[in-house]
Amino acid sequence: GRPEEGEAAAPRTVVEELIAGIWSEVLRRDSVGVHDSFFELGGHSLHAAQIAARLRQALGREVPLGLLFQQTTVTGLAAALEADASEASATLLPPITRVPRDGELPLSSPQVRLWFLEQWAPGSSALNIPRAVRFSGHLDLAALGGALAEIVRRHEILRATFPAASGRPVQVIGPPRGGGLELIDLSALSEEVREAEAERLAVREARRPFDLTRGPLLRAILVRLGEGEHLALFTMHHIVSDGWSMGILVRELSALYRSALAGLPSPLPELPIQYADYAVWQSRWLAGAALEAHIAFWRRRLAGAVPLLLPTDRPRPAVRSLRGATRGVQLAPALAQALGALGRREDATLFMTLLAGFQALLGHLAGQEDVVVGTDHANRERVETESVIGFFINQLVLRADLSGNPSFRELLARVRCSALEAYAHRALPFEKLVEGLNPRRAMDQAPLFQVKLILQNAPPAELELPGLRSRVLPTDPGAAQLDLTLAFAPSQRGLSGWINYSTDLFDAATIDRLMRRLAALLERAAADPEVRLDELTRDLDASERKQLMIESNRRETNLQRFKAVQPKPVSLPAREVVNIGPLAPGQRLPLLVTPAIEDVDLAAWAAENRGLIETELHEHGAILFRGFGIASPAAFERFAGTICGELFHENGEHPRETVSGNVYTPVFYPADQRLLWHNENSFNFRWPAKILFCCVQPPASGGETPIVDSRQVFAAIDPRVRDRFVARQVMYVRNFGNGLGLDWRTVFQVPDEAGLEEQCRDERIGFEWREEGGLHTRSVRPAAVRHPGTGEMSWFNQAQHWHVSCLDTETRRSMEALFREEDLPRNCYLGDGSRIEDAEMAEILAAYQRLEVSFAWQRGDVLLVDNVLTAHGRNPYTGERKLLVAMGEMTNFEEV
């Protein structure tokens, strides 16, 4: 029988002693009795995984994770293990051992997924893991830099880069180097300016993308704010790190800093394995029958599952952009304690209890009884991986059945069962699961689940440095991989965390309302687990209606106060001084603006109405200003300066002639040939957001500037062609030094090879020097982008300017007679190096042709074009044609 209250029965058998000792270590308890409950001692799934790993190592056999949830006492677990159940005696996986570093090192399965996601959305911060820490006190910079350098030396993955070899990614481990601690001193600034600049730097660093081919993939910046005040900004790319790894980094940095201050060597033992060893081990054992068994389970478990269709504030875009935001969330200590107590009574973890409530709410909001969400599993199944920095985390798919109007207690039992089944098959990497199930691929949604719930149970780590007080600051990478990701971690304030959401779909107010409803649902469920879902959600709706009524009354009161304020006269620019309407009836592009009165100063009117111009430009994509008498380069530059603020100083990419300041002639192109539609400089890393054309002299005939709505082009292209381009992007290939076209010094505007190489690295251009001074370059750019102002997808590339099939027949034959394909002066491919078929280019050209709009130039016309929303070209002409060009608001692909 059970011992009397207050007694802790001592272990009686060798196996019980082993289990009690492991529980004591993992759960951080001084002693554990044989009848103590795993859940009452604070156990959760991560603890269970650590215990199973230690039992595996001690007993020399596999220990199913689910066994610890079924046998929740030391004596019960010992009896189950001694019975030698078939699952427990399964074949033991081989240990992880070091592999040679003399060949290509593979990526792990989850790393491969992130590598391809990076190719799909280059320049995104969605895969950044940032942390900002404020220090007060004396900070030893040498000790901090040395500690960081030692961590980089210890962990190979922090020196890794991920180039492609033969079309697939590989890991390349670089030599040890300094820690790369960048110092920025703001102490000379005033306090107000200093704090604002520090905040700007923190946001910039959290959102600054990485280059997987160059590295480093750990960045550390120390900002000096004043005497005894510093801000440390650490950012890692997810491909080399996860939440657990960030904890390792913090603990090792604390230990190494202390040793450096004391003048002692590193107290940390050398690591027996590195992440690359784990990646090789994973690829070797997860194959054949073991792989198929896991996939077969998940195929049965997810059969018939449907996407979670939550109501959104905006329609789901055709291609998800990864733009997002993050907000802090909090569940009160009393609620956290009540949820924990409920879980212990039901032999369920806190995560399972939270999951049951979250899935109940999601099902109610979506009107679905079948609710699929994802979660993260630490995947530190081996003892030897617990101290290794790297991307180990795996994603599990958790499906809940809400049918039959169950009580919350019944739903929790279903969720517990589903979670335990998933844990039993947690070894299958999510990437292998997607590959095995091969679900319908869509550009608008992530595969298998769109919402994730995380309870972060990784060992807590605070950056504790002698003589310093530290405070972790919130960070927001400004990106979202899923529709919603909700994460909690236990804290002294209850359950603290964050919710990350797609700003394409949701407003901040909607997210706040969702969290309010979740807290209310969990409170009611914890107080009365027998409540049925229909009653639970009915109460939820009533509470929400009451809250909305309170907010409505508050807004009405504020409105009445506002109306009571006596208005003061304000001078506003009169819209009536111009006429605004279509160029032709029913024609959306371009919008026409003409003077409604005499002697309108267009530049002055534009300066007063920049908001109106921006709004109309986003709507129409191009605006034609006609009849304002813009007849000189100076007048044109003045107007362009009011529209763009800062005009672009021309680079050497195209032969132009400077007319005045930042005003140029158009690109030289033979008058008898047609210049195809294009978005200016979209093959470059940097490009203008706005372009202005001014007609000084219209030609005798022809010479129109046809324009095309790039949003309509995106929608008009055959989806099979469009999706292939969007997923793989466009690679622009160029060969200099063959006697055709401009030389590389003119194009790049650099005097020597060193300058060229530096610029190529900055602008993400691959380069290769060839014999006799030849240069081969290649750059991968998006085929489509989301407009930063409107959020709409636009076809944004210059494949039709580069692809050999778009040359006229005679020129193409001449080129192909002179050069091998790889030596052509210019050509383009898909981003993975595969060919773009002639038929695909024909489909794209046909879409442009169907959608183009042309108008005859008149003297003094000014055409303002949004370069992302609208492509432009030029028709052949006769007679003298003189146009001026100005470009502004330079943008790069990192910013969109």
Side-chain angles (χ1 to χ4, degrees), residues 713 716-730 795 797 799-800 803 805-806 812 828-848 850:
V713 175
I717 296 172
D718 184 325
R720 290 173 298 179
V721 174
R722 180 191 66 206
D723 294 349
R724 202 163 95 93
F725 271 70
V726 171
R728 302 190 190 186
Q729 307 185 84
V730 179
W795 192 251
N797 63 77
Q800 65 274 14
H803 195 266
S805 72
C806 298
R812 179 176 184 176
C828 67
Y829 303 84
L830 292 178
D832 58 4
S834 58
R835 283 190 173 186
I836 299 173
E837 301 299 332
D838 289 5
E840 293 178 306
M841 289 310 307
E843 163 68 24
I844 293 168
L845 292 176
Y848 277 108
R850 290 194 303 269

Side-chain angles (χ1 to χ4, degrees), residues 21 85 203 210 236 299 341 371 377 423 460 468 501 523 571 581 640 653:
V203 172
F210 288 92
M236 289 196 278
R299 188 174 288 118
V371 177
H377 177 67
Y423 294 159
L468 289 165
Y501 61 96
E523 286 177 358
S571 175
E653 181 62 49

Side-chain angles (χ1 to χ4, degrees), residues 633 659 665-666 694-699 880-884:
V659 177
T665 61
C694 176
C695 179
V696 176
Q697 174 64 56
E880 183 183 1
R881 177 185 188 265
K882 187 174 182 181
L883 259 65
L884 305 177

Side-chain angles (χ1 to χ4, degrees), residues 5 44 85 102 113 124 214 220 223 232 258 269 321 354 378 388 582 626 631 667 751 769 782 794 877:
E5 185 175 352
H44 49 64
D102 53 1
R113 175 175 61 87
S124 170
R214 291 176 55 193
V223 183
R258 290 174 182 275
S321 71
L354 286 168
V388 178
R626 172 166 284 174
V667 172
W769 293 107
S794 285
Y877 65 91

Side-chain angles (χ1 to χ4, degrees), residues 640 644-648 687-692 886-891:
C644 296
E646 183 177 354
L647 297 178
F648 168 48
W687 34 268
K690 293 186 176 73
I691 310 170
L692 296 101
M887 295 177 280
E889 297 184 10
M890 294 306 294
T891 311

Side-chain angles (χ1 to χ4, degrees), residues 57 205 374 396 646 852 872:
Q57 192 175 55
E205 181 58 19
L396 298 181
E646 183 177 354
E852 79 164 17
H872 67 277

